[in-house]
Amino acid sequence: MGGEFIYAIQADTARGGFQLCPADACAIDPATGKPIMPPGATIEPVAGQQLFSLRRDFDHPIIGKYVEFARRNNIEVCGIEFMETAEGRVLTYDVNTNTNYNAVVEAEAPRSAPRALAKYLAAVAAGPAPSFV
């Protein structure tokens, strides 16, 4: 966000399959109110169980590459999705220029991403474009 890494989350793909939307609304079937069994999941989700968690102390060389990628492409706000192979290889598969936030992750995070976004947008609105772009 504005050239800064805020935090990383981890997805439980056994329960979440390839439904990697971290928003609270993505986990519940609006018709039944029950947890959704996402495509590719191998374990049925249980009500109240979180598919996403804060990835504490995430410090990986890929962060700098992602920040540079965003800068070069004039992307001021984004969420970047990747997976790691058993051998530790990072495979990037999505760049979201709008994103969803997860209340449980936000409660644990050392910095609030929505608050950081609000501060960033306020700075953009108040004056000249930030030096990031």
Side-chain angles (χ1 to χ4, degrees):
M1 188 169 319
E4 273 189 87
F5 167 75
I6 306 297
Y7 60 71
I9 64 174
Q10 182 169 323
D12 178 348
T13 55
R15 287 181 177 76
F18 207 70
Q19 164 52 297
L20 300 181
C21 169
D24 302 323
C26 293
I28 304 296
D29 182 331
T32 66
K34 295 182 180 177
I36 296 169
M37 179 74 165
T42 56
I43 301 171
E44 191 164 339
V46 176
Q49 185 175 45
Q50 291 297 310
L51 298 179
F52 300 94
S53 59
L54 180 67
R55 191 157 175 188
R56 296 187 183 281
D57 304 317
F58 184 71
D59 183 23
H60 192 286
I62 198 69
I63 295 170
K65 291 178 181 182
Y66 288 156
V67 169
E68 178 58 19
F69 166 83
R71 186 195 64 73
R72 277 193 333 267
N73 290 283
N74 295 319
I75 302 171
E76 299 174 54
V77 176
C78 66
I80 300 177
E81 298 178 26
F82 68 93
M83 62 182 90
E84 292 174 275
T85 66
E87 299 78 32
R89 185 171 162 220
V90 173
L91 305 168
T92 305
Y93 60 88
D94 197 10
V95 177
N96 298 301
T97 55
N98 64 343
T99 192
N100 297 300
Y101 300 100
N102 178 283
V104 172
V105 171
E106 273 293 307
E108 295 179 40
R111 290 180 61 196
S112 168
R115 275 194 212 102
L117 176 60
K119 284 178 73 174
Y120 180 73
L121 293 176
V124 169
S131 61
F132 173 70
V133 291

